[in-house]
Amino acid sequence: VGDPITLTVDIEDQWKNTDFIMASGPKLVDGGKVDLEINSNSTRAREITSRTAVGINEDGSKVYFITVDGKQSGYSEGMSLTQFAEYVQSLGVYKAINLDGGGSTTMVARQYGDEYPTVVNKPSNGYERKVINGLYAIVTSESNQAKKISIELNEQGKILAGASVDLDLNYVLDEFYHPMDVTIDEVDFSVEGNV
């Protein structure tokens, strides 16, 4: 008691110039095959719970963000790590690593036509848990090329020959799925076929 202690925390040289490091694991898939880097009989691996992973395809051109909800009877019980690794591999993922799961499993995405992202899974706590990190895929490119449009009839039902109908424009998205500021008057319509 009373003796001075010095603690030095360091990382390997290859990581010293890294801008961001996030703890994760274990590895789930490597080389397109399940390669669970944990004792599959451990309590953590056997637990049926919500799971989160990130992975890539073989050439690295696609990134997969994967969540499985859990601990919600009648909705989703969750998966063990072995089941999760097998599921991730079945998606065609070449390499994948497990991230934090349980109540931290939260997937947020910007749905078609929305300006802002929303939670798209059902977190097991019933709400978003405060976490200190996350992975994001953010598209910053925009264009003036319309790629996707959603229009629907103002009223449902049959349309008689010679009648006119009003249409509602839900959204127009550019090629990067950003909402475009377009009105229904700016959309050209044509009809083909036996209509």
Side-chain angles (χ1 to χ4, degrees):
V1 175
D3 288 347
I5 297 176
T6 301
L7 174 65
T8 303
V9 178
D10 204 356
I11 59 174
E12 295 175 11
D13 289 342
Q14 65 180 341
W15 303 112
K16 288 197 175 175
N17 292 323
T18 303
D19 291 326
F20 300 100
I21 295 177
M22 187 171 80
S24 60
K27 180 172 53 171
L28 300 171
V29 176
D30 194 9
K33 297 183 177 10
V34 171
D35 188 9
L36 200 57
E37 206 173 54
I38 189 174
N39 181 346
S40 59
N41 291 318
S42 70
T43 304
R44 182 171 172 231
R46 286 193 335 257
E47 182 183 12
I48 305 296
T49 189
S50 308
R51 302 287 180 185
T52 307
V54 62
I56 59 170
N57 65 347
E58 188 169 357
D59 68 7
S61 63
K62 290 185 180 179
V63 176
Y64 298 82
F65 294 101
I66 305 159
T67 62
V68 172
D69 287 324
K71 298 197 181 242
Q72 299 173 74
S73 183
Y75 174 70
S76 178
E77 297 296 329
M79 293 181 169
S80 70
L81 271 177
T82 300
Q83 291 169 327
F84 190 46
E86 290 169 351
Y87 172 68
V88 169
Q89 184 265 341
S90 76
L91 298 173
V93 175
Y94 189 72
K95 289 181 181 255
I97 193 162
N98 188 65
L99 302 174
D100 197 4
S104 298
T105 292
T106 305
M107 177 71 73
V108 175
R110 182 168 47 93
Q111 302 284 355
Y112 285 145
D114 289 351
E115 187 173 350
Y116 299 104
T118 55
V119 175
V120 294
N121 74 316
K122 191 173 177 184
S124 61
N125 287 354
Y127 58 87
E128 293 175 68
R129 178 185 283 181
K130 293 179 182 178
V131 294
I132 60 171
N133 57 37
L135 292 177
Y136 303 89
I138 300 172
V139 178
T140 57
S141 300
E142 292 187 42
S143 76
N144 290 326
Q145 294 291 326
K147 175 80 173 183
K148 187 167 181 68
I149 187 169
S150 173
I151 296 175
E152 60 188 36
L153 291 173
N154 191 301
E155 294 180 19
Q156 297 302 315
K158 292 186 177 184
I159 303 168
L160 300 176
S164 63
V165 294
D166 290 327
L167 300 173
D168 289 329
L169 176 64
N170 295 326
Y171 56 80
V172 176
L173 305 179
D174 71 11
E175 61 186 310
F176 301 105
Y177 298 99
H178 291 288
M180 296 179 69
D181 190 19
V182 176
T183 65
I184 194 78
D185 298 328
E186 297 173 276
V187 179
D188 291 326
F189 294 93
S190 63
V191 178
E192 294 179 1
N194 188 21
V195 177

